[in-house]
């Protein structure tokens, strides 16, 4: 899933025609003044795609809002409150996205923290595992039938101090403690039917020295312990580059490592040039051919994505 800058629908359509990505992610600069124009643009992009595009957006409401027309309650109003209010807000939010042709919302924060100083605090739906679990499940239920829901940021940004846009936040929490504190909201969202889980660039050395997005251990926990059988999408891989850690300076290798670890889909929010996109596609293809990415793993990811696309037709 790639990003192409700006609101020039024709240029984006040409990008889709040449690259044939699995999807496009919409950022703030992709939103025209008239949102109805966006619906027309999305329709034109799909006309150039061999299969229906997954159109993603970070529409949490509140702190992270891409669409000016989204005035529905968000985390600051919903945190620790009645799940019915969260369900209603995300029902309205999901319908807004559906009406525009957006199919995937990266909008359900399953992180939990009770620290107002935390980077993720303004966006969490609960300050305790219990409150977060109830509201996360309600948000997924609210979006159901309108847009595919995404839980983020697995394994839990609330435990790892720092901003993952510019660093790799790290927590020394043990796995047993993680199961009690951070896992429940993700489990609740999965049980409620979330189609996507976004895996974060978060490091938990007691489990794995790698960021979760590149860690086979964390992918296995998500699949085997939490029973998630949907689409694992990375947080934007450009964030690993911006961490400044030299071992993550190669965006193509990062993408390969994440897919090899078990991710279904790589998200890349970086300047959308055909040259960069071709390098990413070619690098992944080469990794499959060489065996660096297991063929069965790759085929399973393709089946999951095709099933999700078919639901859009």
């Amino acid at each position: 899933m790639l990003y192409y800058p700006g609101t020039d629908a024709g240029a984006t359509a040409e990008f889709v025609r040449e690259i044939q990505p699995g999807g496009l992610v919409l950022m703030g600069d992709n939103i025209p003044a008239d949102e109805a124009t966006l619906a027309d643009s999305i329709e034109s992009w799909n006309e150039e795609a061999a299969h229906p595009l997954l159109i993603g957006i970070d529409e949490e409401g509140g702190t992270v809002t891409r669409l000016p027309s989204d005035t529905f309650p968000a985390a600051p109003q919903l945190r620790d409150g009645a799940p019915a209010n969260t369900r209603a807000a995300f029902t309205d939010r999901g319908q807004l996205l559906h009406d525009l042709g957006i199919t995937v919302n990266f909008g359900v924060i399953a992180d939990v923290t009770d620290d107002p100083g935390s980077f993720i605090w303004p966006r969490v739906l609960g300050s305790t595992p219990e409150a977060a679990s109830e509201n996360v499940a309600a948000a997924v239920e609210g979006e159901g039938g309108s847009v595919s829901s995404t839980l983020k940021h697995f394994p839990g940004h609330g435990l790892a101090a720092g901003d993952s846009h510019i660093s790799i936040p790290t927590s020394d929490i043990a796995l047993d403690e993680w199961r009690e504190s951070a896992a429940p909201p993700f489990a609740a969202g999965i049980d409620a039917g979330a189609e996507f889980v976004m895996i974060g660039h978060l490091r938990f050395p007691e489990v794995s020295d790698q960021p979760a997005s590149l860690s086979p251990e964390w992918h296995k926990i998500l699949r085997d312990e939490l029973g998630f059988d949907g689409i694992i999408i990375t947080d934007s891989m450009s964030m690993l580059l911006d961490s400044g850690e030299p071992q993550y300076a190669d965006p193509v290798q990062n993408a390969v490592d994440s897919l090899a670890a078990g991710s279904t889909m790589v998200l890349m929010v970086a300047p959308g040039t055909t040259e960069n996109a071709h390098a990413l596609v070619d690098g992944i293809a080469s990794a499959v051919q060489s065996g660096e990415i297991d063929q069965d793993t790759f085929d399973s990811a393709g089946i999951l994505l095709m099933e999700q696309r078919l639901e859009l037709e």
Side-chain angles (χ1 to χ4, degrees):
M1 182 176 284
L2 301 174
Y3 157 76
Y4 193 86
T7 57
D8 186 334
T12 305
E14 179 60 34
F15 180 73
V16 170
R17 184 183 307 118
E18 180 169 346
I19 302 301
Q20 292 296 324
L24 294 175
V25 60
L26 301 176
M27 304 301 288
D29 74 305
N30 298 132
I31 310 302
D34 177 8
E35 289 178 9
T37 302
L38 178 60
D40 293 337
S41 297
I42 291 172
E43 185 175 350
S44 73
W45 304 337
N46 271 307
E47 290 173 355
E48 302 299 335
H51 302 283
L53 292 168
L54 299 174
I55 305 294
I57 193 169
D58 295 290
E59 195 63 35
E60 302 170 18
T63 304
V64 180
T65 300
R66 308 296 188 210
L67 299 169
S69 60
D70 181 359
T71 59
F72 308 116
Q77 298 82 38
L78 301 172
R79 184 184 305 115
D80 295 333
N85 295 336
T86 300
R87 187 176 298 106
F90 278 84
T91 297
D92 291 338
R93 186 165 287 119
Q95 189 62 51
L96 169 64
L97 301 183
H98 174 80
D99 291 346
L100 292 171
I102 297 168
T103 54
V104 182
N105 189 19
F106 303 133
V108 182
I109 295 292
D111 307 306
V112 56
T113 182
D114 60 2
D115 178 10
S118 168
F119 161 77
I120 205 69
W121 167 259
R123 301 158 61 189
V124 300
L125 293 168
S127 62
T128 66
E130 295 77 17
S133 296
E134 291 179 350
N135 277 319
V136 165
V140 172
E141 291 163 1
E143 289 186 333
S146 295
V147 66
S148 294
S149 292
T150 307
L151 309 175
K152 62 184 189 184
H153 309 79
F154 185 82
H157 211 313
L159 296 176
D163 179 351
S164 57
H165 293 88
I166 56 174
S167 66
I168 301 177
T170 300
S171 171
D172 61 1
I173 192 171
L175 185 58
D176 284 345
E177 187 179 351
W178 172 84
R179 292 185 176 110
E180 297 296 323
S181 58
F186 287 98
I190 290 167
D191 289 345
E195 293 88 351
F196 286 70
V197 170
M198 179 177 284
I199 193 162
H201 309 306
L202 309 168
R203 186 183 283 126
F204 292 74
E206 291 297 314
V207 179
S208 171
D209 289 332
Q210 297 171 293
S213 55
L214 308 182
S215 165
E217 291 88 346
W218 277 117
H219 284 80
K220 182 176 175 60
I221 289 168
L222 178 55
R223 292 295 193 202
D224 295 349
E225 284 201 27
L226 298 190
F228 182 62
D229 60 4
I231 294 170
I232 302 176
I233 189 166
T234 68
D235 208 343
S236 175
M237 300 303 282
S238 62
M239 294 160 61
L240 274 180
L241 305 180
D242 294 338
S243 74
E245 297 198 17
Q247 64 268 41
Y248 307 121
D250 182 347
V252 174
Q253 190 60 53
N254 293 341
V256 167
D257 289 346
S258 185
L259 292 170
S263 289
T264 317
M265 194 172 208
V266 171
L267 175 66
M268 179 65 81
V269 182
T273 67
T274 54
E275 182 180 358
N276 291 343
H278 277 302
L280 192 62
V281 171
D282 292 346
I284 291 170
S286 295
V288 175
Q289 292 164 358
S290 71
E292 189 175 1
I293 297 175
D294 180 75
Q295 184 71 54
D296 289 341
T297 299
F298 188 77
D299 290 345
S300 296
I303 290 168
L304 274 175
L305 290 171
M306 185 58 69
E307 290 173 346
Q308 187 68 21
R309 286 165 162 172
L310 289 173
E311 290 184 12
L312 305 177
E313 293 185 306

